[in-house]
Amino acid sequence: MDLKTCQLFEGFSEQQYERFVTVTETRDLEKHEWIFHEGEPADRLYCIQTGAVELLTRLDERVELPITILRAKGSHFGTSSLVEPYSYSLSARTYEKSTLRVVQRDRLMRLVEQDPGMGFILMQNLATIFLSRLKETRQEVKIHFKTLFQVMRY
Amino acid sequence: MDLKTCQLFEGFSEQQYERFVTVTETRDLEKHEWIFHEGEPADRLYCIQTGAVELLTRLDERVELPITILRAKGSHFGTSSLVEPYSYSLSARTYEKSTLRVVQRDRLMRLVEQDPGMGFILMQNLATIFLSRLKETRQEVKIHFKTLFQVMRY
């Protein structure tokens, strides 16, 4: 198992990485098992060891909109567990039988208290990831605006 | 001038805050002056001391879409300067005659090297802000989806 493939932990020293691994756990899940739902309290971060995980958002009571399927080893989700208000912003369920690496926020934050440099790296990676997703999502808004203009024109 | 009203620096100790202020500069701008354009290299972070700043995004060659107007003292923009790929994700211009507090990334990062705890606080605040904006923008995408469904139905 190599958590080093996860973008969130890029830049950890060998020592930081070893200390980090001690606060993680492994969880095996069947196909189509729910991991968490949008809006639930977020206290755990996940990385894919094997398998695939689907992220979804609720469009309304009838429609769950699939956002993406994570397949790559080291793909992470549940990052809402690391920042306030600690509430999952999407739903997650396995798309295939999967093995996940689970990180409890409380245990991770105790490590960070002892080593703020580790916290800086982690939070800088997280901010980079969120900004990148924000840019992508803004692009989607632009595309929808354009589509709407076209639909209304004809 | 009180940079303490800026959400980005919430949680700094008095000592961290004082050291931080030494790496900032003040800049006076007239009404409707451009500060930076979307896509330009990002090396400076800004906080509003007085005045108001408009953020915009380019929809296409003819239309610049206003995103928001920042009016509150301590409002920040240009946070793309703090994370890779260091490229402004929106355009900014003064909406009124304004006085801004400017922070150069290089000078800030030298402080953070000496005090990683300060870097942790800053990056955690930044990740929190980006995630909150990401959630808002995802809501917009949902609204556009729904509008599009309705327009196409009639």
Side-chain angles (χ1 to χ4, degrees):
Chain A
M1 166 55 200
D2 197 348
L3 276 165
K4 284 179 189 171
T5 53
C6 182
Q7 196 187 349
L8 269 176
F9 316 119
E10 252 181 53
F12 277 8
S13 70
E14 200 57 39
Q15 206 186 22
Q16 285 171 331
Y17 179 73
E18 276 168 26
R19 266 181 283 133
F20 168 69
V21 169
T22 64
V23 302
T24 69
E25 287 161 21
T26 303
R27 200 171 145 199
D28 295 306
L29 290 168
E30 295 304 314
K31 185 176 174 173
H32 290 164
E33 267 196 73
W34 285 99
I35 304 160
F36 52 74
H37 291 273
E38 191 174 329
E40 284 177 357
D43 56 1
R44 284 171 169 79
L45 169 75
Y46 297 84
C47 293
I48 296 179
Q49 193 164 339
T50 63
V53 169
E54 188 174 26
L55 303 182
L56 310 99
T57 187
R58 183 168 288 183
L59 193 58
D60 60 28
E61 282 131 46
R62 292 158 303 169
V63 188
E64 280 253 21
L65 194 67
I67 300 284
T68 190
I69 296 167
L70 306 175
R71 292 179 178 281
K73 182 176 169 170
S75 296
H76 60 270
F77 58 99
T79 42
S80 299
S81 62
L82 296 181
V83 294
E84 287 184 355
Y86 305 120
S87 157
Y88 289 119
S89 62
L90 295 172
S91 301
R93 72 173 165 203
T94 51
Y95 194 72
E96 297 168 4
K97 189 176 158 75
S98 302
T99 300
L100 306 177
R101 203 74 172 178
V102 190
V103 188
Q104 282 186 48
R105 178 184 62 244
D106 291 352
R107 297 184 67 187
L108 180 57
M109 287 306 149
R110 277 198 289 275
L111 274 190
V112 165
E113 270 170 39
Q114 293 158 25
D115 180 355
M118 191 175 168
F120 171 62
I121 294 167
L122 177 68
M123 286 300 160
Q124 191 173 39
N125 289 340
L126 190 59
T128 305
I129 291 161
F130 285 155
L131 179 61
S132 159
R133 288 188 195 159
L134 180 60
K135 286 179 181 177
E136 284 168 21
T137 310
R138 280 188 186 146
Q139 280 304 323
E140 278 187 61
V141 174
K142 284 188 192 182
I143 289 163
H144 285 293
F145 254 111
K146 286 181 190 176
T147 314
L148 196 59
F149 285 164
Q150 282 170 357
V151 168
M152 292 178 83
R153 195 175 294 154
Y154 299 110
Chain B
M1 166 56 202
D2 197 348
L3 276 165
K4 284 179 190 170
T5 53
C6 183
Q7 197 188 348
L8 269 176
F9 315 121
E10 251 180 54
F12 277 8
S13 70
E14 200 58 39
Q15 206 185 24
Q16 286 171 329
Y17 179 73
E18 276 168 25
R19 267 182 282 133
F20 169 69
V21 169
T22 65
V23 303
T24 69
E25 286 162 21
T26 302
R27 202 171 143 199
D28 295 305
L29 289 168
E30 294 304 312
K31 185 178 175 172
H32 289 164
E33 268 196 75
W34 285 98
I35 304 160
F36 52 74
H37 291 273
E38 190 174 330
E40 285 178 357
D43 56 0
R44 284 172 169 78
L45 169 74
Y46 298 83
C47 293
I48 296 179
Q49 193 164 339
T50 64
V53 170
E54 189 174 26
L55 303 182
L56 310 100
T57 187
R58 183 169 286 183
L59 192 58
D60 60 30
E61 283 130 45
R62 294 158 300 169
V63 187
E64 280 252 21
L65 194 68
I67 301 282
T68 191
I69 295 168
L70 306 174
R71 295 180 175 281
K73 182 175 170 172
S75 296
H76 60 269
F77 58 98
T79 41
S80 299
S81 62
L82 297 181
V83 294
E84 288 185 354
Y86 305 120
S87 157
Y88 289 118
S89 62
L90 295 172
S91 300
R93 73 175 164 202
T94 52
Y95 194 72
E96 297 169 3
K97 189 177 160 72
S98 302
T99 300
L100 306 177
R101 203 73 173 178
V102 190
V103 188
Q104 282 187 49
R105 179 184 62 243
D106 291 353
R107 298 184 66 187
L108 180 57
M109 287 305 149
R110 278 198 290 276
L111 274 190
V112 166
E113 271 170 37
Q114 295 158 24
D115 181 355
M118 191 175 167
F120 171 63
I121 294 167
L122 177 67
M123 287 299 161
Q124 191 173 40
N125 288 340
L126 191 59
T128 305
I129 291 162
F130 285 156
L131 179 61
S132 158
R133 288 189 196 160
L134 180 60
K135 286 179 180 176
E136 284 168 20
T137 310
R138 280 186 185 147
Q139 279 303 323
E140 278 185 61
V141 173
K142 285 189 191 180
I143 290 164
H144 285 293
F145 254 112
K146 286 182 191 175
T147 315
L148 197 60
F149 286 162
Q150 282 170 354
V151 168
M152 292 178 81
R153 196 175 294 153
Y154 298 109

